[in-house]
Amino acid sequence: MMFASDLDRTMIYSHRGFGGEILNIPVRTIEVANGKDISFMTKKAIALLHKLSEEMMFVPVTTRTTEQYSRVSLFHEEIRPTYAITCNGGVVLKDGKIDTHWQDYICTKIDGSAASVDDVKRKIEETADASWLNSIRVVDGFFLYMIINPPLSTERVKYYSQWAEEHGWSFSVQGRKVYFIPSFINKWDAVNYVAKKEGKQTVYTAGDSNLDVCLIEQADFGLIPRHGEAAATFGHLGMTQKTGILASEEIIETILSKRLQFIPGIR
């Protein structure tokens, strides 16, 4: 069995993602950048994740770059997953090193893509308005995202979504970050690659954004945090009762309870 989970706003949380229920619950810093505490988990969630990682393969799956993932000290000092997936599925790491077979596959797909990163960047530059576009950032040559403020209009979201789909790309709005990602770079394909490589026949997943929907749809069982972007449209696939940082506890507890169904003699 394998549990593949998104990180930000699913397993780990910034102060802004805590939610209103956290006031008297002990939390721990699990990421520091430039001397600032960036991300947190409740102490209970950390203990539960320790237990889960001892009972099944745990694979962090994130849209973060590999460098950004490496800042999460919990996964390098305590819970040390054999595999991690970064860049939204563009990179598979095993024991901290890039899986070259997967990398070759992705590079071949990029070379044959109908629209390149440069094409998408040019499209944004031609159509964006300086009143809301702060910057465009390219992630390791795989995909790009915009930093925006204020939010995009409904019409603009529809326009970019349709354009992306027509050119074989995915489009996702996550707060001030708006992602354009080739459809062949996705979290599920990378997770499925790892599962098959390791002979894992049962895959559980969790994720909050529309970029995580493929994980929830394709897995044997998946959960979306109630506060997540994906919950509004895809909550019927599986959704937590709790919101904010407490959702990670519920997710891990639920996956552990699923684990018990496969232990002989337990019903």
Side-chain angles (χ1 to χ4, degrees):
M1 283 172 286
M2 179 171 126
F3 174 48
S5 179
D6 172 56
L7 296 183
D8 295 279
R9 290 177 56 81
T10 301
M11 281 291 108
I12 70 178
Y13 291 79
S14 67
H15 277 300
R16 287 188 300 176
F18 273 20
E21 306 169 42
I22 191 61
L23 295 178
N24 298 312
I25 296 175
V27 299
R28 264 185 53 194
T29 300
I30 60 166
E31 178 186 9
V32 177
N34 299 319
K36 296 182 179 180
D37 293 346
I38 301 297
S39 298
F40 309 82
M41 290 179 71
T42 67
K43 291 184 177 181
K44 179 180 178 181
I46 293 172
L48 287 167
L49 192 57
H50 270 285
K51 178 177 174 59
L52 181 144
S53 63
E54 291 171 357
E55 297 188 8
M56 67 178 75
M57 176 177 283
F58 168 58
V59 180
V61 186
T62 179
T63 306
R64 289 179 176 224
T65 65
T66 301
E67 181 181 2
Q68 290 168 336
Y69 166 72
S70 69
R71 298 193 313 231
V72 184
S73 58
L74 180 69
F75 302 136
H76 302 285
E77 297 173 3
E78 294 183 39
I79 301 170
R80 296 182 174 88
T82 300
Y83 287 92
I85 294 167
T86 64
C87 298
N88 202 64
V91 174
V92 172
L93 301 172
K94 182 178 182 182
D95 297 323
K97 298 179 180 179
I98 291 175
D99 183 305
T100 55
H101 180 74
W102 182 254
Q103 203 68 31
D104 290 345
Y105 164 77
I106 291 294
C107 288
T108 299
K109 297 289 284 185
I110 288 174
D111 290 342
S113 178
S116 68
V117 169
D118 288 340
D119 293 332
V120 178
K121 187 171 184 287
R122 190 178 307 113
K123 179 66 176 179
I124 294 171
E125 291 170 341
E126 291 172 351
T127 58
D129 191 319
S131 66
W132 51 261
L133 177 63
N134 288 356
S135 62
I136 304 171
R137 301 181 185 180
V138 177
V139 178
D140 293 351
F142 293 125
F143 60 88
L144 52 81
Y145 63 90
M146 301 184 287
I147 303 292
I148 62 166
N149 190 34
L152 295 179
S153 66
T154 302
E155 293 76 15
R156 180 66 63 175
V157 169
K158 183 177 180 180
Y159 172 76
Y160 281 134
S161 296
Q162 182 175 341
W163 186 90
E165 184 176 357
E166 290 172 352
H167 290 79
W169 285 59
S170 301
F171 177 81
S172 178
V173 179
Q174 299 183 36
R176 294 183 60 219
K177 291 184 178 181
V178 180
Y179 289 87
F180 287 84
I181 303 179
S183 58
F184 56 81
I185 296 179
N186 64 80
K187 294 179 178 180
W188 173 253
D189 284 353
V191 165
N192 194 39
Y193 167 77
V194 172
K196 288 184 176 180
K197 186 175 181 179
E198 294 298 318
K200 303 299 181 183
Q201 297 182 354
T202 303
V203 179
Y204 303 127
T205 60
D208 69 294
S209 79
N210 286 338
L211 294 175
D212 299 311
V213 171
C214 60
L215 286 177
I216 310 303
E217 288 181 321
Q218 299 294 330
D220 294 282
F221 175 82
L223 277 175
I224 300 170
R226 182 168 288 272
H227 58 260
E229 172 198 27
T233 306
F234 298 96
H236 63 281
L237 296 175
M239 188 166 59
T240 66
Q241 293 299 312
K242 296 179 181 178
T243 61
I245 198 170
L246 297 183
S248 64
E249 296 180 1
E250 181 181 345
I251 289 168
I252 302 168
E253 286 178 325
T254 303
I255 301 304
L256 283 168
S257 71
K258 290 288 181 181
R259 168 73 172 86
L260 293 177
Q261 297 176 10
F262 291 86
I263 297 177
I266 295 183
R267 297 289 186 267

